[in-house]
Amino acid sequence: MELTAISAVGLAAMIARREVSCAEVMAAYLARIEVVNPAVNAIVSLRDSDALMDEARAADAAGARGPLHGLPIAVKNLVATKGLRTTYGSPVYADYVPVKDDLLAERMRAAGAIFIGKTNTPEWGHGSHSFNPVHGVTRNPYDLARTAGGSSGGAAAGLAARMLPVADGSDMMGSLRNPAAFCNVYGFRPTWGLVPSDAVGDTFMATLATEGPMARDIADLALLLDVQAGENPAVPFGRTGRFAVPEPADMRGKKIAWLGDWGGAYTMEPGILGQSEVALRVFEDLGAEIVPLAPPFPAEKLWQAWVTLRAMLNAGAKRGLYEHAAHRALTKPETIWEIEQGLNLTAAAVYEASVIRSRWYARAAGLFDQFDALVLPAAQVWPFPAEWRWPQDINGVAMDTYHRWMEVVVPASLIGLPALALPAGFGANGLPMGVQLMGRSGTDAEVIAMGQAYHAATDWPNKRPPAL
């Protein structure tokens, strides 16, 4: 088996046993990237190959540093990396080289990862299609004419194309889950607070986005999550947790609620609900009871709260771009729209949104007294043409914002639930799709164990890798 097809857990074990060297692993990945990346464009700001080989040989000489020792990692281009160009997909930062790592990068580097470059994202992570004027568009390894999703699109495509053994991502509005579904890999949005942010800007109100792991199997997902997780004492609301290679959950007797299209509120392209039900039948075959569930909360209220709180946070964090005329002219219209929405908000509107959020959290807690997990599709559309900015309509229903077509991810995002994107196989169009497996807040290990049971029964990423 080629080294690039071996799991991260497997490679780490082989390096530890000295069955393979860090230099051999690096050489294999660099060769794969050279062949595949020009077409996919998942990895950007790729470092010099000679420098990377020197670093890999130094890792061999130094001995194990941590669980990611010697593994080539490309960090999402929204995470600052010391000495490695970090652009956020923005022309304003086209030549920016940070002088220090963000916390997530610092943890992965301390665990022994060798940073080879960055993974592509949309500008500022806005939108679930990874294109920007600095690095171009990332394409789907399963169909190069299609999007890989976003904002962790480069991470998902890099994994699927065997250019990375494991990858970090982040998720505010489905940015780990949507690209995982589009690229036939796993993406895990952890309970909010498990993977902490850096102590910059607001850390009390900014509780919608989180970083997390992506992988081609659940053991690798747990490996990276264990590196990422753990409190940052400088930010509030932190959680702790350790994640070993999980045993598959015994699904017998478990109850899973199927929310479908939320009673028609979430318009879906043809075939997505049926493909999602393929994944549900896997859980049913494993012994779980699948229970169709009527919408437990008004979708329009969830959307109202979501766009209000998201706009408030974007306006606060990105206001400097807006007020600097030259930078504003270089900023994508979707980001400008977010900022302008936020600048026009009243305190009363923000409070009302927070009340809606609070009521949904309480309602969801009641659901988890009845069910072990909730399931929704991970996307409302199949991977769409790469030249689009975003889908303008679904089945003739016009999308009134640049992100309305991603609304199905909001129920988990709004209240910080752990949500695991599981590959659900391929539609009649040959394109991948996935579902979201959501658990009670704090039950990350249990959700991952259910994912392990599902992976053992399906193994979609390795059963049907892309034919590049």
Side-chain angles (χ1 to χ4, degrees):
M1 181 183 293
E2 294 182 2
L3 290 176
T4 56
I6 297 172
S7 70
V9 168
L11 282 176
M14 292 171 68
I15 290 171
R17 294 192 298 263
R18 297 191 177 274
E19 294 174 10
V20 67
S21 68
C22 299
E24 289 172 313
V25 171
M26 181 63 71
Y29 272 98
L30 290 177
R32 177 69 175 169
I33 289 166
E34 184 178 8
V35 171
V36 173
N37 197 53
V40 178
N41 193 37
I43 299 174
V44 298
S45 298
L46 184 66
R47 292 175 58 202
D48 175 72
S49 59
D50 289 338
L52 287 170
M53 289 303 302
D54 286 346
E55 197 167 329
R57 284 188 283 267
D60 284 321
R65 289 183 57 202
L68 302 180
H69 177 70
L71 295 185
I73 301 290
V75 183
K76 187 172 178 177
N77 207 15
L78 301 182
V79 176
T81 42
K82 180 180 179 180
L84 178 55
R85 187 169 70 137
T86 302
T87 71
Y88 312 100
S90 167
V92 176
Y93 285 84
D95 300 313
Y96 177 57
V97 179
V99 297
K100 67 183 293 292
D101 285 331
D102 280 348
L103 179 61
L104 187 80
E106 179 183 293
R107 288 184 172 181
M108 292 191 293
R109 200 190 293 270
I114 299 176
F115 293 167
I116 63 172
K118 308 302 287 279
T119 54
N120 203 26
T121 72
E123 184 179 338
W124 296 116
H126 289 164
S128 194
H129 178 22
S130 294
F131 72 95
N132 61 72
V134 182
H135 303 291
V137 62
T138 296
R139 296 177 177 274
N140 195 310
Y142 287 91
D143 184 340
L144 294 173
R146 304 274 171 167
T147 178
S151 62
S152 308
L159 278 169
R162 277 56 179 171
M163 291 188 282
L164 298 168
V166 72
D168 69 287
S170 56
D171 187 310
M172 188 182 209
M173 193 176 175
S175 292
L176 281 157
R177 292 163 284 161
N178 178 276
F182 279 7
C183 293
N184 188 41
V185 297
Y186 295 93
F188 184 57
R189 179 192 166 100
T191 295
W192 196 90
L194 182 62
V195 178
S197 64
D198 286 83
V200 295
D202 169 62
T203 57
F204 273 86
M205 299 179 73
T207 56
L208 295 181
T210 181
E211 289 155 324
M214 305 186 84
R216 293 191 300 270
D217 67 36
I218 298 296
D220 287 358
L221 198 82
L223 173 76
L224 184 54
L225 181 61
D226 194 55
V227 170
Q228 297 174 331
E231 287 185 281
N232 175 3
V235 300
F237 317 128
R239 292 175 177 265
T240 58
R242 296 306 306 270
F243 299 90
V245 175
E247 291 295 324
D250 185 351
M251 298 304 299
R252 292 172 296 181
K254 292 193 182 297
K255 292 178 68 175
I256 296 176
W258 168 228
L259 289 158
D261 59 4
W262 208 272
Y266 301 150
T267 305
M268 304 274 171
E269 284 190 336
I272 288 178
L273 289 176
Q275 198 62 45
S276 299
E277 289 166 355
V278 170
L280 289 172
R281 285 195 290 274
V282 173
F283 283 117
E284 199 166 41
D285 291 344
L286 291 170
E289 179 185 0
I290 308 300
V291 182
L293 186 66
F297 201 88
E300 65 273 15
K301 287 290 185 184
L302 298 179
W303 184 249
Q304 174 192 341
W306 179 257
V307 294
T308 299
L309 296 172
R310 178 181 168 97
M312 174 196 69
L313 294 171
N314 275 310
K318 302 289 188 295
R319 187 168 181 166
L321 285 174
Y322 188 81
E323 293 179 339
H324 188 294
H327 291 173
R328 179 177 175 178
L330 292 171
T331 299
K332 69 188 291 187
E334 292 86 349
T335 299
I336 297 299
W337 179 86
E338 289 276 4
I339 295 169
E340 290 179 340
Q341 294 293 308
L343 293 177
N344 290 323
L345 287 172
T346 64
V350 173
Y351 181 78
E352 183 182 359
S354 190
V355 169
I356 293 169
R357 186 187 195 189
S358 302
R359 298 287 68 76
W360 167 227
Y361 187 93
R363 177 71 180 101
L367 293 177
F368 288 116
D369 289 338
Q370 306 172 56
F371 301 103
D372 297 282
L374 312 177
V375 171
L376 279 166
Q380 293 170 240
V381 299
W382 298 95
F384 52 85
E387 64 269 18
W388 292 8
R389 290 186 74 87
W390 44 275
Q392 299 289 316
D393 69 88
I394 302 177
N395 303 336
V397 177
M399 299 293 102
D400 57 356
T401 72
Y402 79 99
H403 52 10
R404 190 67 179 247
W405 60 276
M406 301 158 57
E407 190 175 1
V408 73
V409 303
V410 166
S413 290
L414 187 61
I415 56 175
L417 299 180
L420 175 60
L422 302 170
F426 295 76
N429 53 16
L431 297 173
M433 186 43 59
V435 296
Q436 306 171 70
L437 182 74
M438 298 171 284
R440 185 192 295 271
S441 181
T443 62
D444 301 72
E446 290 87 341
V447 172
I448 289 171
M450 286 189 275
Q452 181 73 307
Y454 179 90
H455 175 73
T458 57
D459 193 15
W460 277 114
N462 290 313
K463 183 181 294 182
R464 190 166 171 183
L468 286 171

